[in-house]
Amino acid sequence: MPEQHAPRPARHDGQAPGPDGPNAPSRRLLLRSAAAGGVAAAALAAGAPGAVAGPAAKRVTGAKMRDLTGPALTGRFAAPWTDLGIPARCPDGSMLFVCGDTFDGGGVGGPDWRSPVGLRSSNAAPGSLVVDGAVGGSRAVGLVPEGHTGGTTAIPSDVFTVGRTMYMHLMRGVIHRTHHTDFWRSDDSGRTWRYLCQWPAGLHGGQFQQKTYAVADDGYLYVLSTAFNRDAVSGLLLHRVRQDSPGDPAAYEPWGYAGGAWGWGNPPTTITSPRRWGEICFRAVAGRYALTWLNMSPLDIRAQIFASPTSNLFTTAEQAMIVPTVPGRETGNAVASPYGGFIVPGSGLDDLHIAVSQWYDNRNYRVMQYRVNGLTY
């Protein structure tokens, strides 16, 4: 097990809720400013373009399918208030949603703060997802030790399955002041987790903090990474690692531009325009690769679809899947205070399902399932 990192002063000014109490002021201010940064957001929501960069032959549309979490849905697991819900199909055939900061009680900042937790749908079909279980039974337990000392937490950035093994990547420390990231393994469909390794927060200029993994059919995992700070401009780095070695930091091979050419083993170079990134998700889907992310300026959840992990993302169309609006004006693919956007395993490019989070006050904090159609690929 890694040593417990030194306590740091609590500061919650970004991506996930913290122990600020029921009012969680700094988090709400962030989300409100994000939505206001899209007060054009409301106008955008009415007629959101299908693509925001590059040509698009079709218009992207989206619709909410259901809430996945909330007091009436996951309160029986002591998890009425939670977010992220990164979906991973388990070896036992269920779907595990790995969630971030989770609270019981009357709202965000309530008692029994845990992160991460695992909620489960026994039916893994994208059209039939219902949380009907939790790791821990009637109380969703923290999947790894995390005492939240001094406001620290453990935020999942990815969960994925290779054969009979599941892996989970966590970002540790006070939100947006990452101390280190660590990597865990489960051999029982997410019920228990074993520590594998960790990386320092400053590796590659801090751009190796938030990681997401695509499981390819060539024996590799392809790993995209950014800084974990919505206020910081970061590149997007690409590494690869053999599927039998993801717990060995020395086995990660960077992709970069040097000597007039791109190649594996070069120092890592950003593979697209630097920007302020929210959550990222990278998956192999139907013979292609899909990257989805929360884009901070303008605020929306976007996708790029491409042929190879080393495709040119500078020229690949960025397609808006979810656009921001304000509470009371949500319709279609317009969501108040959206974030996340994790691809649901089993969905396809013509009918993509994503887990979208929302938080705009201490009782509107949830994971939802959206269906997206019309992506160009």
Side-chain angles (χ1 to χ4, degrees):
M1 294 291 295
E3 293 184 3
Q4 176 64 36
H5 45 267
R8 293 169 176 256
R11 178 172 73 91
H12 290 270
D13 55 358
Q15 187 146 315
D20 296 335
N23 293 325
S26 55
R27 169 59 170 161
R28 289 214 310 268
L29 286 173
L30 174 97
L31 289 173
R32 286 174 181 168
S33 66
V39 164
L44 178 63
V52 293
K58 299 180 286 186
R59 179 182 173 84
V60 177
T61 60
K64 181 177 178 177
M65 293 190 67
R66 58 179 63 89
D67 287 336
L68 291 168
T69 70
L73 300 169
T74 54
R76 61 189 172 126
F77 305 114
W81 317 107
T82 193
D83 72 345
L84 299 182
I86 303 172
R89 185 163 185 139
C90 302
D92 68 4
S94 66
M95 189 78 77
L96 186 69
F97 295 93
V98 174
C99 300
D101 290 323
T102 301
F103 304 90
D104 204 351
V108 173
D112 201 10
W113 180 19
R114 291 144 285 152
S115 183
V117 304
L119 302 176
R120 196 181 301 278
S121 173
S122 57
N123 189 330
S128 304
L129 297 174
V130 176
V131 174
D132 53 11
V135 177
S138 61
R139 175 184 173 270
V141 298
L143 299 181
V144 304
E146 173 53 63
H148 304 298
T149 303
T152 64
T153 192
I155 301 299
S157 74
D158 208 5
V159 184
F160 60 96
T161 302
V162 180
R164 303 294 301 176
T165 301
M166 301 184 73
Y167 296 97
M168 175 172 64
H169 181 264
L170 301 175
M171 301 170 293
R172 309 296 288 263
V174 175
I175 292 296
H176 293 177
R177 291 167 55 190
T178 303
H179 179 277
H180 69 272
T181 69
D182 51 27
F183 200 54
W184 299 73
R185 170 179 179 151
S186 174
D187 295 299
D188 55 9
S189 290
R191 295 173 184 86
T192 61
W193 294 86
R194 177 167 59 89
Y195 169 78
L196 293 176
C197 66
Q198 66 177 279
W199 293 268
L203 186 61
H204 301 315
Q207 298 173 121
F208 205 56
Q209 294 173 357
Q210 181 174 220
K211 301 182 192 66
T212 179
Y213 293 70
V215 182
D217 59 6
D218 61 359
Y220 280 98
L221 301 169
Y222 292 92
V223 189
L224 294 179
S225 67
T226 69
F228 178 52
N229 186 336
R230 289 180 173 182
D231 293 328
V233 173
S234 171
L236 181 72
L237 304 185
L238 172 65
H239 287 72
R240 68 180 181 181
V241 62
R242 296 291 306 179
Q243 291 179 15
D244 59 2
S245 304
D248 176 7
Y252 285 67
E253 185 179 18
W255 173 258
Y257 187 81
W262 289 89
W264 293 109
N266 289 334
T269 307
T270 185
I271 63 170
T272 192
S273 300
R275 67 190 73 192
R276 294 189 294 127
W277 300 87
E279 293 75 25
I280 57 176
C281 180
F282 187 33
R283 296 291 184 261
V285 182
R288 310 278 288 175
Y289 288 85
L291 167 65
T292 64
W293 74 96
L294 174 67
N295 194 73
M296 296 307 300
S297 181
L299 185 72
D300 52 23
I301 296 177
R302 299 184 182 184
Q304 285 180 300
I305 313 297
F306 41 95
S308 162
T310 58
S311 292
N312 187 347
L313 299 192
F314 288 95
T315 59
T316 300
E318 298 183 5
Q319 304 178 67
M321 302 186 296
I322 300 293
V323 298
T325 186
V326 294
R329 297 185 62 179
E330 294 180 293
T331 184
N333 65 338
V335 180
S337 301
Y339 58 109
F342 301 101
I343 296 169
V344 175
S347 58
L349 297 176
D350 289 320
D351 186 29
L352 192 69
H353 294 245
I354 56 175
V356 176
S357 290
Q358 177 180 60
W359 186 5
Y360 58 82
D361 63 34
N362 71 331
R363 293 183 63 85
N364 283 281
Y365 175 65
R366 59 179 60 88
V367 182
M368 307 171 290
Q369 182 182 356
Y370 271 75
R371 182 181 217 162
V372 178
N373 300 109
L375 289 169
T376 298
Y377 59 94

